Amino acid sequence: MTEAVLLVGGQGTRLRPLTVNTPKPMLPVAGVPFTVHQITRARDAGVRRIVLATSYRAEVFAEFIEDADLGIEVVIATEEEPLGTGGAIRHALAHLESGPDDPVLIFNGDVLSGLDISGLVEAHVRSGSDVTLYLTPVDDPRAYGLVPIDADGRVQAFLEKPSTPEEIITDLINAGCYVFKRSVIEQIPTGRVVSVERETFPGLLASGAQVRGVVDEGYWLDLGTPLAFVQGSKDLVLGHAPSPAVIQTGDSLILSGSHIADSACVEGGSSIGRDVVIEADANIDGSVVFDRAVIEQGAQVVGSIIGVGARIGAGCELHGVVVGDGAVIGARNELRDGARVWPDIELPPTAIRYSTDS
Ligand code: GDD
Ligand code: MG
């Protein structure tokens, strides 16, 4: 039996204001909290027990897990103060039941991927490594951990979020899933903040530990930014990203209790939550609309995220925007490219909508 730790304690700052009320892994993606996609993928790969390493808004996870039946034992470990990625893994150790040489899977809580999880564990066990990292190539690696490997897959360095061009020595990045030999987790210091990326991995390499990388070029996405969040949701709805928690794929996903006017259009992999109202002639394209939101007549919502109970006024045009829970956007407003509206803010209606054609 393989056990896993899912790191879900971060503040999700890049997804504010959505993460003001809800931690990032609990935001709904294609109809269920994002964490459900990861938990069910781990379950289907043979993981029978998963520890949720929580900190920020831990109670939201606890409430959800209490009622959920995900076909896998889920245990919650909560850090009083966030201990960083390495500190969180060390803290979760007390909840693991495996033996000293057993493999323990670690997942970042915001990664959607097509990784062959059991294949990664097998590669780890076969090679007898201390740690095995899932790596993936990306076009621009600067926002990630760079992990150069040699021809045998041995990791040569770990460069977290490099700041100079000289440090960009590979396009292979840490894709946010590792297998640790349990005894290696025991070596992480307790009771203080530890970054697995900045401290543990470089330390293991310096001490000559066997750290290997397994490259997988399949689907991979970190949902940590609004653009990526929308992309991941679309990919799940359209069937481009794999998840056992998506029952049916198609052009859109509309949950129960929502009312979509006949003349409204919901397309491009959009996901509509529960009890949403979409009025006549509105167009929702490649967007995520959370529960109880209202999109009034003729509004255009493209590549955007609309928070719980938010109201988008008639004739509004939203493009690449994040609207917080309960916010009200008055009629005919136009918001674009990265605009964020804080929860419960009310924007007054505008008299006319300016044309963007010229
Ligand atoms: N329990 C706990 N406690 N979890 C934490 C803490 C903490 O103090 N800090 C962060 N996490 C969790 C986050 O919730 C998230 O799921 C995961 O750790 C990674 O944190 P992010 O904030 O998403 O990091 P990142 O995306 O900038 O970088 C990480 O992921 C990249 C791949 O997506 C790093 O691991 C990079 O090396 C990697 O390339
Ligand atoms: Mg991330």
Side-chain angles (χ1 to χ4, degrees), residues 5-14 24-25 38 52-56 61 77-79 81-89 91 107-111 141 143-147 158-161 173-178 193-194 196-198 201 220-224:
V5 176
L6 189 54
L7 298 172
V8 291
Q11 297 202 1
T13 43
R14 286 167 296 175
K24 174 165 62 173
Q38 286 192 303
L52 290 191
T54 66
S55 176
Y56 177 68
F61 293 95
T78 303
E79 300 139 49
E81 294 294 328
L83 291 171
T85 45
I89 297 168
H91 181 261
F107 296 98
N108 280 359
D110 60 351
V111 169
Y144 305 105
L146 269 61
V147 187
F158 196 107
L159 300 155
E160 182 68 10
K161 308 212 170 75
I173 60 148
N174 163 26
C177 173
Y178 332 112
V193 174
V194 180
V196 79
E197 297 89 351
R198 295 180 195 277
F201 290 141
W220 183 86
L221 191 67
D222 175 324
L223 275 75

Side-chain angles (χ1 to χ4, degrees), residues 51-102:
V51 180
L52 290 191
T54 66
S55 176
Y56 177 68
R57 289 203 168 265
E59 71 286 355
V60 182
F61 293 95
E63 276 164 31
F64 175 75
I65 292 302
E66 206 176 289
D67 299 334
D69 179 11
L70 301 173
I72 173 172
E73 187 186 352
V74 182
V75 180
I76 296 192
T78 303
E79 300 139 49
E80 293 293 323
E81 294 294 328
L83 291 171
T85 45
I89 297 168
R90 180 66 181 85
H91 181 261
L93 185 72
H95 300 266
L96 297 175
E97 294 175 345
S98 40
D101 287 337
D102 286 346

Side-chain angles (χ1 to χ4, degrees), residues 245-261:
V246 178
I247 285 91
Q248 203 184 347
T249 58
D251 201 34
S252 64
L253 176 77
I254 298 166
L255 297 189
S256 63
S258 286
H259 179 77
I260 318 286

Side-chain angles (χ1 to χ4, degrees), residues 266-353:
V266 180
E267 59 185 350
S270 291
S271 181
I272 311 294
R274 291 195 168 73
D275 303 323
V276 168
V277 175
I278 299 182
E279 294 182 359
D281 301 323
N283 179 31
I284 316 295
D285 186 1
S287 293
V288 184
V289 180
F290 290 175
D291 295 352
R292 301 189 295 286
V294 177
I295 314 293
E296 293 182 359
Q297 193 169 353
Q300 311 285 314
V301 178
V302 182
S304 296
I305 312 169
I306 311 300
V308 177
R311 177 175 280 268
I312 309 303
C316 279
E317 203 170 298
L318 271 53
H319 206 292
V321 169
V322 180
V323 177
D325 298 344
V328 178
I329 312 295
R332 296 173 299 276
N333 271 288
E334 189 182 315
L335 300 172
R336 290 190 171 266
D337 306 334
R340 296 174 192 222
V341 181
W342 227 245
D344 302 317
I345 291 286
E346 293 195 21
L347 290 188
T350 59
I352 46 159
R353 198 174 74 221

